[in-house]
């Protein structure tokens, strides 16, 4: 477990360093969103079950395809679903996909909603910072490097999208991933 934790930390630090140095490259391709979300959910099923959670998916029929970096998109989705599983116990995690109109082909929006521990407004204000978790007890209890959301947000910015979050302490959180459906200039 310690070797795996160190490897994860090292990979996270390297990813963040590449992003901040402007050396992270995107490899844009056509991504079947439904297939990717199914893969992420299948990969996360064991983690969800370990916490006694139900994992549900909605909106795959309308998800379609997008032009994005499949590896980076999968990394972001795995982080969001993994966090929802980690911070929820005997609850529900929903992954909901939808299209929204906008420039070009519009937007892909994926909500990852959980009934977990939620966050206070103060915790929310630090959410996308490097090496930040809700507080030190979160790190002790749930583990992790505190880099996943920082990396995910920066990857989304590279892909011309973003992640936003809403949360109520003790009632759960919703993380919303928004990405352009077609390739943007500079991507």
């Amino acid at each position: 477990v310690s070797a795996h934790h160190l490897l994860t930390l090292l990979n996270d630090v390297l990813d963040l360093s590449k992003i901040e140095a402007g050396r992270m490259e995107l490899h844009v391709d056509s991504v079947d969103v439904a297939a990717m979300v199914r893969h992420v959910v299948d990969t996360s099923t064991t983690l969800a079950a370990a916490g006694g959670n139900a994992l549900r998916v909605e909106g795959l029929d309308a998800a379609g395809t997008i032009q994005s970096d499949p590896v980076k998109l999968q990394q972001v989705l795995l982080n969001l679903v993994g966090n929802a599983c980690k911070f929820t116990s005997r609850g529900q995690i929903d992954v909901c996909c939808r299209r929204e109109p906008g420039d070009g082909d519009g937007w892909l929006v994926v909500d990852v909603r959980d009934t977990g521990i939620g966050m206070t407004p103060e915790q929310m204000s630090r959410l996308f910072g490097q090496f930040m978790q809700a507080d030190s007890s979160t790190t002790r209890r749930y583990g992790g490097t505190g880099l996943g959301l920082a990396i995910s947000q920066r990857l989304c910015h590279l892909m011309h999208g973003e992640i936003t979050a809403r949360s109520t302490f003790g009632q759960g959180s919703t993380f919303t991933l928004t990405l352009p459906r077609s390739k943007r200039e500079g991507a």
Side-chain angles (χ1 to χ4, degrees):
V1 173
S2 294
H4 176 72
H5 179 72
L6 286 174
L7 181 60
T8 300
L9 178 60
L10 180 60
N11 285 331
D12 286 350
V13 170
L14 289 173
D15 277 353
L16 194 58
S17 296
K18 281 186 208 171
I19 292 168
E20 293 189 343
R23 298 193 183 281
M24 179 67 73
E25 293 182 19
L26 291 180
H27 302 283
V28 177
D29 201 353
S30 183
V31 178
D32 179 338
V33 175
M36 178 166 290
V37 169
R38 275 191 212 95
H39 174 73
V40 166
V41 168
D42 289 347
T43 301
S44 304
T45 299
T46 302
L47 182 59
N53 297 309
L55 185 53
R56 192 171 54 188
V57 180
E58 299 172 8
L60 293 185
D61 291 344
T65 60
I66 67 169
Q67 295 295 311
S68 192
D69 184 313
V71 172
K72 309 246 179 342
L73 177 55
Q74 180 173 295
Q75 182 178 351
V76 170
L77 290 172
L78 280 168
N79 181 261
L80 295 178
V81 174
N83 280 350
C85 292
K86 184 164 52 168
F87 294 108
T88 304
S89 178
R90 292 181 299 283
Q92 177 77 37
I93 295 134
D94 295 318
V95 181
C96 308
C97 301
R98 66 183 186 278
R99 293 178 183 211
E100 287 191 357
D103 295 341
D105 294 331
W107 301 89
L108 166 68
V109 180
V110 181
D111 292 315
V112 179
R113 201 169 39 235
D114 66 61
T115 59
I117 62 174
M119 291 173 277
T120 65
E122 181 187 347
Q123 291 167 335
M124 292 284 295
S125 71
R126 300 190 307 261
L127 196 56
F128 295 104
Q130 299 171 27
F131 297 104
M132 296 301 269
Q133 290 193 332
D135 56 46
S136 60
S137 68
T138 302
T139 304
R140 284 192 303 276
R141 182 169 178 197
Y142 298 101
T145 62
L147 284 172
L149 286 175
I151 291 169
S152 293
Q153 181 70 282
R154 285 162 179 80
L155 289 175
C156 285
H157 288 165
L158 281 174
M159 296 184 284
H160 300 280
E162 68 175 344
I163 300 173
T164 57
R166 296 183 319 276
S167 186
T168 303
F169 185 72
Q171 295 181 21
S173 302
T174 300
F175 285 82
T176 301
L177 165 66
T178 306
L179 289 174
R181 296 188 65 80
S182 56
K183 184 178 176 186
R184 300 281 200 244
E185 283 305 310

